[in-house]
């Protein structure tokens, strides 16, 4: 059975698209046929993050009726399939947002998981992704403005007949994670699915045009996303542990020191 999640946030700058890309990549790495569609046809960023900004066919052309859905699907990291939106204003003007439902009906025939990166804020273009998904996941920062806007998005989702599964709190100080989680659940009235800590490797991965779960799999943010993805597919989280290096015995250390001294004398 296909599961469709819309990743949404009330305001821009929460890291929503970065979470979408990394969560989709991790689901694919866990063996699930996963598609990620950038539904933000006005301010698309998925393609920029994954180096697909020059893709010849994007969601713009599909929504304009110029190309079929097959033409706009690109291979992504970890086996993820990506449908980026274009970055040109001309393409945006020609795209018909009302056709998104038709596109989605075609995509769900091909995958196990579909993640929809929704536009930030409350707009006409952003309502459809909230309404058509099985469940909506809110990406929130531990800031008042982000929390208030996320609450508005939750209310809008319920008004249009959608359902909010829970929230992912992004860019959190690890020392305050427990307190923030309890407060967020109380304010938003939904479960906290996971907390992604502040991690400098996120920016490094972005500069490399690669998801952090691929470039820095052992980083704190990667492990947090791995946990969330594992929970979504109902499997136990297993942390990848590096292979142990055997400890050197006395004879090995003595031999190394002996040969080093001999080589130094030459």
């Amino acid at each position: 059975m296909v599961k469709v999640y819309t990743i949404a946030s009330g305001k821009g700058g929460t890291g929503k698209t970065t979470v979408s890309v990394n969560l989709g990549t991790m689901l694919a790495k866990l063996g699930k046929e996963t598609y990620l569609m950038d539904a933000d046809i006005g301010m698309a960023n998925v393609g920029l993050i994954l180096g697909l900004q020059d893709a010849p066919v994007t969601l713009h052309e599909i929504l304009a009726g110029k190309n079929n859905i097959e033409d706009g699907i690109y291979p992504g990291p970890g086996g993820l399939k990506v449908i980026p939106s274009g970055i040109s204003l001309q393409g945006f003007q020609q795209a018909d947002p009302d056709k998104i439902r038709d596109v989605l009906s075609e995509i769900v025939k091909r995958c196990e998981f579909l993640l929809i990166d929704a536009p930030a804020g409350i707009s006409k273009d952003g309502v459809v992704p909230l309404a058509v998904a099985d469940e909506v996941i809110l990406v929130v920062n531990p800031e008042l403005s982000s929390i208030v806007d996320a609450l508005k998005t939750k209310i809008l989702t319920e008004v249009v007949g959608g359902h909010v599964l829970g929230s992912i709190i992004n860019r959190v100080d690890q020392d305050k994670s427990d307190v923030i989680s309890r407060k967020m659940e109380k304010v938003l009235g939904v479960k906290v699915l996971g907390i992604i800590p502040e991690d400098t490797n996120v920016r490094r991965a972005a500069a490399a045009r690669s998801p952090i779960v691929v470039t820095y799999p052992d980083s704190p943010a990667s492990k947090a996303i791995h946990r969330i993805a594992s929970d979504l597919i109902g499997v136990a989280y297993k942390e990848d542990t590096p292979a142990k290096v055997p400890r050197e015995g006395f004879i090995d250390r003595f031999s190394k020191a002996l040969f080093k001294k001999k080589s130094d004398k030459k």
Side-chain angles (χ1 to χ4, degrees), residues 171 174 197-207 212 216 219-221:
R171 302 183 66 180
Q174 295 188 59
E198 186 73 66
D199 191 338
T200 56
N201 290 313
V202 173
R203 291 187 178 181
R204 293 172 184 162
I212 189 173
Y216 302 101
S219 67

Side-chain angles (χ1 to χ4, degrees), residues 3-37:
K3 198 73 175 178
V4 180
Y5 293 108
T6 287
I7 314 298
S9 66
K11 65 187 289 291
T14 62
K16 169 183 60 65
T17 298
T18 299
V19 170
S20 298
V21 168
N22 280 280
L23 185 58
T25 302
M26 183 52 69
L27 287 170
K29 284 169 65 67
L30 290 172
K32 299 300 179 180
E33 185 67 20
T34 307
Y35 278 57
L36 169 63
M37 187 182 83

Side-chain angles (χ1 to χ4, degrees), residues 51-71:
L52 294 171
Q53 67 276 4
D54 296 323
V57 178
T58 70
L59 187 61
H60 282 176
E61 286 70 42
I62 297 168
L63 294 179
K66 296 179 179 180
N67 293 87
N68 296 321
I69 183 64
E70 293 86 357
D71 303 324

Side-chain angles (χ1 to χ4, degrees), residues 179-216:
V179 175
I180 290 173
S181 180
R182 289 195 297 271
K183 288 184 177 180
M184 199 70 73
E185 288 186 343
K186 184 177 180 180
V187 173
L188 294 179
V190 295
K191 179 183 178 182
V192 171
L193 303 176
I195 294 177
I196 303 175
E198 186 73 66
D199 191 338
T200 56
N201 290 313
V202 173
R203 291 187 178 181
R204 293 172 184 162
R209 300 290 178 91
S210 175
I212 189 173
V213 296
V214 173
T215 310
Y216 302 101

Side-chain angles (χ1 to χ4, degrees), residues 10 21 32 44 55 57 60-62 78 87 92 108 138 141 153 161 168 191 198 211 215 237 252 254 265-266:
V21 168
K32 299 300 179 180
V57 178
H60 282 176
E61 286 70 42
I62 297 168
I87 58 176
F92 167 68
V108 294
L138 301 172
N141 293 149
T153 304
I168 294 174
K191 179 183 178 182
E198 186 73 66
T215 310
Y237 166 70
D252 295 321
F254 180 78
K265 291 179 181 179
K266 293 181 179 179

